[in-house]
Amino acid sequence: MMAAGLSTMLVVAAQAETPPGLLVVGQSIDDAVSFDPAEGFELTTVQAFNALYQRLVQSNRQDGTRIEPALATSWEAGSDGKSLVFTLAKDAKFASGNPVRPEDVIFSFSRAVKLNKAPSFILGELGWTAENVDKSVTKADDGKVKLSWQADVGPAFVLAILTAPIASIVDEATVSPQAANGDFGNGWLKSHSAGSGAFKINTYTAHEALVLDANPTSPGGAPKLQGVILRNVPDAAARRLLIEQGDIDIARGLGADQIDALKKEGKLNVLAIPSARSDYLLINSKANAALGNPAFWEAARYLVDYEGIAKNLLRGQSQVHQAFLPTGFPGALNDNPYKLDVEKAKKILADAGIGPTKIAFPVFNEEPYLQIAQSLQQTFGQAGLTLDIQPGVASDIYNKGRSGQYEFTLRYWIPDYFDPHSNASAFAVNRDNKYNTIAKQAGWVIPELSDETAAAVKEQDPAKRAALYEDLQRKIQKSAPYVLMFQGSDQVVLGKAVKGYAQGLNADQVYYDQVEK
């Protein structure tokens, strides 16, 4: 146990060198809503889940399309093509010391489905519901668990789903006693952990810090660090100052100006890591008649200064990308058919009878989102659309989007697992508002596109499947209540003493277990 908890963090803040064996990361953690893997769906929480939890299987760190054993040492597909039997690792234990059992796997999947939080639609892709999940995840024997599914998908896709953070295995014996009012321990897990990862939560204080202790008995191996502290530093300039002074070991989310300056100084290591993050505008089509008009959606596509934002504001932190599949995923479209054209947008709006309109625009209160928002405010304004920028902490912005309490907002999306369906199921699925997909948050019911997405996920021929996703992306590009704009690149600044840091294409692929300093 880290002896001083948050007091350690405060001591670190006052000195010019972080303690040996303790990694201090400076970033904004204002987006964090919950560290329960059945609920957490924000960048901070998703980035923490690989440190705190393990799944039955995991993505390879270098090649996310390769699936490797984790808590399961092996698996075998059933003859029916609708089941998998996993053999659990012998002697695997949670951070509590409790053994990892088939019952824990059953509990983990059952609670995730029944809680029905934001990421639950991922497991819903298997056809799992609150009514059938207990029959779908069963104990085969003392060391084996059987997963069955109802959806028309094959074992390879199921394995990809099982690499998502929501498939993390939690310790039933630790979590169940914390349950209150039928919440399966969700209230407690918002700020605690019960996993088998290389670290465990010591203390979490919202908008201040997340303190992690090493878990030396992790089945994945003991970490090289004694602990990790994620300090909430909302201001990018402050993060730059802290990393230069040695008060933190890693800085995330610096602006383009800070990155350029640090590169010129050459005293720190600046990593540019390809990311699957997609930045997009989300339009609430139910907010009012103007926002629900497809003409508004079309006009919005011509009111973004894509090249100007990418070249002048983001400078290496993002590239223009106008499709929902990021480059690197099978079937990704790399053509960008839209550019800034205010006159064209004005004509589209006029033809549709959409006059001057004031639009509430909640935005993350941090860079580069405020910079992007200001650029959008200027270009939309030229077409008579007044964007009322309303800065707020990221967690509040997320909650507004998920509850439909917004008009127009700027968001990002990162795939949950390495398969095109991870993004398609968010942007192109909403039959009946059952799952909280992006389409649902936009108030967009699309049964036909949902059927096309279902056909794509079950197609077994790779070339045919890629073609189906290309078609879906073109339809979304042409008419949808969102505007895809950029694909990100994560620029992470490391102190010279930091060794062994690893990060992959997907958001959850942040690895602290091999870091040393």
Side-chain angles (χ1 to χ4, degrees):
M1 176 71 72
M2 191 179 299
L6 275 177
S7 62
T8 300
M9 182 202 73
L10 298 175
V11 171
V12 170
Q15 61 187 51
E17 183 176 346
T18 59
L22 181 63
L23 186 77
V24 184
V25 182
Q27 64 182 73
S28 172
I29 66 169
D30 282 334
D31 63 330
V33 171
S34 172
F35 288 93
D36 182 346
E39 181 179 27
F41 213 35
E42 304 75 41
L43 188 59
T44 295
T45 52
V46 168
Q47 287 179 338
F49 285 142
N50 268 346
L52 300 172
Y53 292 93
Q54 291 179 290
R55 300 145 208 172
L56 292 174
V57 294
Q58 62 190 3
S59 297
N60 177 272
R61 297 190 182 197
Q62 286 74 42
D63 179 2
T65 62
R66 288 172 48 200
I67 294 176
E68 302 174 334
L71 286 177
T73 57
S74 62
W75 51 91
E76 183 178 352
S79 59
D80 59 356
K82 292 278 191 176
S83 63
L84 285 163
V85 175
F86 293 87
T87 300
L88 301 181
K90 293 181 179 180
D91 301 323
K93 294 182 179 181
F94 292 104
S96 65
N98 295 326
V100 178
R101 310 160 301 143
E103 289 83 357
D104 297 300
V105 179
I106 295 167
F107 174 75
S108 299
F109 289 129
S110 178
R111 70 183 297 274
V113 171
K114 293 176 181 177
L115 280 170
N116 195 28
K117 298 294 185 179
S120 65
F121 74 91
I122 298 170
L123 296 180
E125 297 296 339
L126 304 181
W128 290 355
T129 66
E131 292 72 32
N132 69 25
V133 66
D134 291 332
K135 294 181 180 179
S136 301
V137 187
T138 57
K139 182 177 179 179
D141 65 29
D142 287 343
K144 295 183 178 181
V145 63
K146 180 179 180 181
L147 273 59
S148 304
W149 56 91
Q150 297 72 36
D152 189 11
V153 295
F157 176 73
V158 175
L159 289 170
I161 285 277
L162 295 180
T163 66
I166 193 173
S168 298
I169 307 304
V170 304
D171 181 357
E172 180 186 22
T174 295
V175 175
S176 287
Q178 305 296 335
N181 302 316
D183 75 344
F184 298 96
N186 171 251
W188 185 78
L189 276 180
K190 286 178 183 288
S191 57
H192 298 81
S193 63
S196 58
F199 296 91
K200 54 188 177 182
I201 293 179
N202 174 312
T203 310
Y204 169 62
T205 303
H207 309 299
E208 291 187 18
L210 172 69
V211 181
L212 307 180
D213 289 344
N215 173 21
T217 63
S218 172
K224 297 183 178 181
L225 295 165
Q226 297 173 11
V228 177
I229 294 176
L230 271 62
R231 285 184 56 191
N232 188 39
V233 187
D235 181 64
R239 291 195 288 270
R240 175 191 168 183
L241 180 62
L242 290 171
I243 190 74
E244 287 182 308
Q245 293 177 339
D247 291 323
I248 60 176
D249 301 299
I250 295 179
R252 297 184 184 281
L254 297 187
D257 290 340
Q258 285 93 22
I259 291 293
D260 288 346
L262 291 175
K263 285 181 177 179
K264 289 179 182 178
E265 292 172 4
K267 297 178 181 179
L268 301 166
N269 295 322
V270 179
L271 307 182
I273 304 169
S275 170
R277 188 188 77 240
S278 297
D279 295 325
Y280 67 99
L281 296 172
L282 181 64
I283 303 165
N284 186 351
S285 66
K286 299 296 185 183
N288 55 54
L291 298 184
N293 192 327
F296 179 91
W297 312 345
E298 182 183 7
R301 288 164 167 71
Y302 293 103
L303 291 174
V304 178
D305 185 8
Y306 302 95
E307 294 296 334
I309 293 172
K311 292 180 179 179
N312 301 324
L313 296 183
L314 302 179
R315 299 204 302 276
Q317 295 183 324
S318 292
Q319 61 184 4
V320 178
H321 190 74
Q322 297 173 352
F324 67 68
L325 284 182
T327 299
F329 274 56
L333 283 182
N334 291 307
D335 58 322
N336 297 311
Y338 297 99
K339 63 180 180 180
L340 178 65
D341 190 334
V342 175
E343 293 306 313
K344 186 168 186 175
K346 289 168 68 175
K347 185 177 187 307
I348 293 169
L349 293 170
D351 290 346
I354 300 174
T357 306
K358 184 176 181 180
I359 303 166
F361 189 24
V363 178
F364 300 151
N365 188 23
E366 57 187 89
E367 303 299 352
Y369 299 102
L370 283 175
Q371 288 180 301
I372 296 173
Q374 289 162 0
S375 172
L376 294 167
Q377 185 182 57
Q378 193 270 332
T379 52
F380 274 68
Q382 293 178 44
L385 303 176
T386 303
L387 299 184
D388 178 19
I389 297 175
Q390 300 173 353
V393 296
S395 56
D396 289 341
I397 304 299
Y398 274 115
N399 286 331
K400 287 181 178 180
R402 290 169 184 164
S403 62
Q405 303 302 309
Y406 75 100
E407 292 185 343
F408 187 77
T409 191
L410 171 61
R411 296 259 295 267
Y412 60 80
W413 175 264
I414 305 177
D416 299 291
Y417 49 91
F418 278 90
D419 187 276
H421 190 68
S422 180
N423 280 22
S425 64
F427 287 96
V429 170
N430 184 26
R431 290 188 178 87
D432 52 14
N433 290 323
K434 183 176 182 180
Y435 296 109
N436 201 13
T437 64
I438 294 172
K440 177 190 174 183
Q441 293 173 26
W444 198 36
V445 178
I446 43 174
E448 290 185 5
L449 280 178
S450 299
D451 290 343
E452 292 177 30
T453 304
V457 72
K458 68 182 181 182
E459 175 58 58
Q460 298 299 306
D461 181 277
K464 291 180 180 179
R465 190 167 186 240
L468 291 173
Y469 285 114
E470 289 174 3
D471 184 59
L472 280 168
Q473 288 169 95
R474 289 191 176 94
K475 290 177 177 177
I476 295 293
Q477 274 183 340
K478 186 176 181 181
S479 183
Y482 13 85
V483 180
L484 280 300
M485 300 184 297
F486 307 106
Q487 180 174 341
S489 175
D490 286 343
Q491 293 178 310
V492 183
V493 182
L494 308 181
K496 288 293 187 179
V498 177
K499 309 295 181 185
Y501 176 79
Q503 182 173 330
L505 187 67
N506 252 14
D508 67 300
Q509 289 190 295
V510 172
Y511 303 101
Y512 293 117
D513 57 335
Q514 296 301 309
V515 174
E516 55 186 327
K517 45 176 284 201

